[in-house]
Amino acid sequence: VQELWVQLGPSKNQCETLDTLEDECRRHNVKLTIRTIDPFESTWKPYVKKGVTPVAVITWQRNGIERVTHRPIDTGSFSDTDWKVRLQALNDVESGALKVSPETVASLATDPHVLVRRRTTHSLKAMKATSQTAVIEGQLLDRESSVRVAAANVLATINGPGTPQRIVEALQKHDGFQFKLGCVEALTAIGESGLEVLLKGAEHTNYAVRETCLRSLAKICTGGLTTRTFSVLCEFADNQNEDERIRCYAIDGAVNSCLLYTSPSPR
């Protein structure tokens, strides 16, 4: 046996278990680990000094491990050599604990570390940094999928006139299902102002573009913009030469639109 894990329970009972095991484990060089809601609780300090390792219950709402680092954070943290400090600076911006310019946050959009790049996108959203729309659009082409997905989701809130076209261009390079779903959310939120791009994209030779634009049209149609969108959905639904998945999305959008707007008692 190399390690024993003391699993949850009241702190008093866990301490009793540790006290029972401590001497024997030290004699046999067996590591002791304890799982707890709050690994920084003062109760565990004497045990930590003796070599016990507290491990946080990561599913708990607050457990003291939310900060990536315990180093002090200030405006200089954005250029720190430790990625964890840069990430914590972004987290502090997002929570409102640190005030900086959108440009300072956007400077980390191409950071070497994936978690920093991804958090940059969410921090810009929290700041409502519409001036950095182009930066977020650029992250649609990030080398890491999770950053691309985050950018797509954030563009549902922060976007500009060119965002729909940037999304279409990105979809021609990346077609993961999570990314497509994020793009659908963004294009649906943009709505009517992006309609021309969607209508053109629905005819695109690239399947990811076609699917995403058609799904967005279906959601926009269901949301109430039936002029032009409804007839387009019907055309796709009736096209037996079209991919069956595309036809399914078209039928779903058309049917849901009919149900929503013909019901005598809308709910």
Side-chain angles (χ1 to χ4, degrees), residues 77-190:
S77 300
F78 289 88
S79 57
D80 198 280
T81 56
D82 187 342
W83 69 267
K84 295 185 292 296
V85 174
R86 301 194 300 274
L87 179 59
Q88 187 58 58
L90 290 170
N91 288 343
D92 285 358
V93 168
E94 195 171 342
S95 69
L98 181 64
K99 304 295 182 183
V100 296
S101 69
E103 290 76 18
T104 299
V105 172
S107 69
L108 296 182
T110 57
D111 193 271
H113 201 285
V114 57
L115 297 184
V116 176
R117 298 199 305 278
R118 188 173 68 197
R119 199 78 252 156
T120 298
T121 311
H122 293 295
S123 298
L124 290 172
K125 177 183 176 181
M127 298 176 77
K128 300 179 181 177
T130 54
S131 63
Q132 302 305 311
T133 299
V135 171
I136 301 170
E137 291 173 348
Q139 289 185 304
L140 292 170
L141 297 173
D142 193 274
R143 61 185 179 274
E144 290 286 348
S145 174
S146 67
V147 179
R148 299 193 296 267
V149 173
N153 284 318
V154 168
L155 285 169
T157 304
I158 299 177
N159 51 68
T163 299
Q165 185 58 38
R166 300 290 85 76
I167 290 175
V168 166
E169 292 167 0
L171 283 164
Q172 294 175 62
K173 298 178 182 295
H174 304 288
D175 61 357
F177 81 89
Q178 302 101 324
F179 184 57
K180 288 188 292 185
L181 184 59
C183 290
V184 168
E185 295 303 314
L187 292 169
T188 302
I190 292 169

